[in-house]
Amino acid sequence: MSTMWDQFRVKEGDKVDLKKWDTSYKGDLTKEEVYDHLLPANGEAFREAQEVMYADNQHGLIIVIQAMDAAGKDGLIKKVLTYINPQGLKVIPFDEPTADEQDHDYLWRCNQALPRRGEVAVFNRSHYEDVLVTRVHKLLDGSQLPEDLVDKKIWCRRYKQIRNWEEYLEENGFHILKFFLHVSKNEQAERLLERVVQPNKNWKFSSSDIRERKYWKEYQKIYEELMEETSTDGAPWFIIPADRKWYTRYVVSEILKEFFQKLDITYPKLAKEEEDLLADAKESLMKDLGLKEEDLDKYRG
Ligand code: ATP
Ligand code: MG
């Protein structure tokens, strides 16, 4: 059976031609079906699974979200990732690097944003900006990176550094899922126009959105290359159709559910001393409440 995990994943070593990947959805699912049934059910499933991961306290998950402007990163976080218990979730936006961040290597701020074991960290943009916007706008020219290190091969080296960093995390129990929200240029224009004409969306509009649109082709080309170079079995890229927001959200929720199913962890087993402690506690509480063994059913949930 083909799963969404397989359908939308860039397999290690595959070539990527974004024009061949759907931005839209033409199937039979409806928005109502997704919002009323499918998304809540998936959300509930991965919320519970994350709680098990939290209790188990061994694995961590990093979710990278990358996209062109207005592709729906914020909405995805708001409508899908909030199913996760806030105690086990953190969301980190990566904006233009601050002076302090520029004083360090580009992965420094990502290292600071990593989750603890049991947690999920959502990267709203990520280290991938450092092979994207940085490349499109030649931001390394005149930067603090030593001049002799800025040559034609720098992007190849960065892909290698990113692969190695992600592999290192994977080998230490931290999993990485990377989502590219694939929006069409036309749909982006419509969404930006909404930001311009709807007063309660004006705050979201930035004049840089129009400027960046002019570099559309370059961005798409680099996205293709970076996904070819950095989609691995351990840290895969998924290309998610993003012209229908409800469909984007549904697909990501399915992939998250599948991820936790594959992870296949259960609540931790108690050690003998811990079981003895529970037995003592049970006896003492039953005594306080004046209960017998047969009264316990309602406490078993
Ligand atoms: P939206 O999609 O809603 O517009 P956004 O993610 O674009 O949200 P903004 O605050 O508008 O949020 O933009 C963040 C900006 O920071 C982006 O233009 C991004 O390219 C830029 N940025 C992120 N990382 C880097 C980096 N390493 N170097 C330079 N610019 C960066
Ligand atoms: Mg923006």
Side-chain angles (χ1 to χ4, degrees):
M1 196 186 75
S2 155
T3 64
M4 292 210 164
W5 180 279
D6 293 323
Q7 189 183 342
F8 295 103
R9 182 168 53 101
V10 176
K11 291 177 199 70
E12 190 167 325
D14 270 6
K15 284 269 159 223
V16 179
D17 178 354
L18 279 173
K19 283 192 220 74
K20 295 196 176 137
W21 289 75
D22 286 331
T23 57
S24 196
Y25 171 70
K26 295 181 191 77
D28 297 331
L29 265 186
T30 64
K31 186 175 171 177
E32 288 68 35
E33 225 174 317
V34 164
Y35 281 149
D36 294 348
H37 303 292
L38 301 172
L39 183 57
N42 284 350
E44 190 60 22
F46 67 68
R47 188 191 63 75
E48 275 180 37
Q50 188 275 330
E51 287 195 352
V52 176
M53 185 172 85
Y54 192 82
D56 180 60
N57 205 17
Q58 297 187 49
H59 299 262
L61 173 63
I62 299 145
I63 298 176
V64 168
I65 310 176
Q66 283 288 154
M68 300 298 286
D69 287 306
K73 290 186 276 94
D74 291 354
L76 176 67
I77 294 167
K78 202 158 65 183
K79 295 278 178 89
V80 177
L81 293 160
T82 43
Y83 278 101
I84 293 173
N85 180 345
Q87 297 209 80
L89 176 76
K90 60 176 183 173
V91 180
I92 306 95
F94 289 92
D95 293 342
E96 274 178 51
T98 61
D100 193 22
E101 288 167 351
Q102 286 177 42
D103 270 341
H104 295 84
D105 64 282
Y106 69 96
L107 290 175
W108 179 74
R109 63 178 181 166
C110 302
N111 277 305
Q112 300 205 319
L114 290 176
R116 289 168 187 267
R117 297 188 194 280
E119 272 184 356
V120 176
V122 179
F123 285 13
N124 183 351
R125 301 188 186 268
S126 64
H127 46 301
Y128 284 97
E129 291 294 321
D130 293 282
V131 289
L132 261 169
V133 65
T134 308
R135 185 170 178 183
V136 171
H137 292 293
K138 303 185 173 50
L139 300 180
L140 293 181
D141 297 350
S143 74
Q144 284 164 271
L145 196 63
E147 220 171 297
D148 57 319
L149 296 179
V150 185
D151 58 19
K152 276 203 198 110
K153 296 230 170 98
I154 181 140
W155 311 113
C156 268
R157 286 201 299 275
R158 284 200 167 184
Y159 291 143
K160 182 188 71 185
Q161 291 155 4
I162 290 172
R163 278 195 305 268
N164 289 344
W165 184 67
E166 292 180 352
E167 186 178 27
Y168 162 83
L169 290 170
E170 183 69 23
E171 288 174 351
N172 282 280
F174 293 91
H175 309 272
I176 308 181
L177 303 177
K178 301 177 290 198
F179 296 102
F180 172 62
L181 309 191
H182 187 24
V183 75
S184 65
K185 197 174 179 196
N186 205 52
E187 177 66 21
Q188 189 202 45
E190 301 214 6
R191 291 189 191 169
L192 292 179
L193 190 58
E194 280 177 13
R195 291 183 180 185
V196 172
V197 300
Q198 290 184 24
N200 63 353
K201 287 196 176 170
N202 286 166
W203 66 274
K204 276 197 151 200
F205 182 76
S206 152
S207 55
S208 71
D209 294 348
I210 300 295
R211 198 177 61 228
E212 290 308 289
R213 239 177 103 69
K214 301 205 167 77
Y215 297 93
W216 185 274
K217 270 202 181 135
E218 272 180 80
Y219 273 111
Q220 300 283 303
K221 204 168 143 276
I222 299 176
Y223 265 119
E224 288 173 343
E225 186 183 288
L226 77 81
M227 288 192 275
E228 287 170 4
E229 292 283 339
T230 63
S231 200
T232 59
D233 292 340
W237 274 104
F238 297 89
I239 302 179
I240 313 291
D243 283 359
R244 302 280 165 275
K245 289 176 183 170
W246 57 270
Y247 188 65
T248 311
R249 293 165 188 172
Y250 171 58
V251 174
V252 172
S253 77
E254 275 286 322
I255 291 171
L256 284 178
K257 189 181 68 176
E258 282 185 51
F259 164 77
F260 281 111
Q261 281 166 351
K262 283 179 209 287
L263 197 58
D264 193 26
I265 48 175
T266 50
Y267 282 110
K269 281 248 171 305
L270 295 183
K272 175 81 177 72
E273 310 82 75
E274 289 166 321
E275 276 184 0
D276 290 348
L277 270 178
L278 284 190
D280 291 348
K282 181 174 150 195
E283 196 184 313
S284 146
L285 292 167
M286 282 172 66
K287 202 166 148 211
D288 285 357
L289 293 165
L291 298 176
K292 299 198 204 57
E293 194 63 36
E294 57 266 32
D295 301 323
L296 289 185
D297 276 357
K298 77 166 191 171
Y299 296 93
R300 294 209 156 95

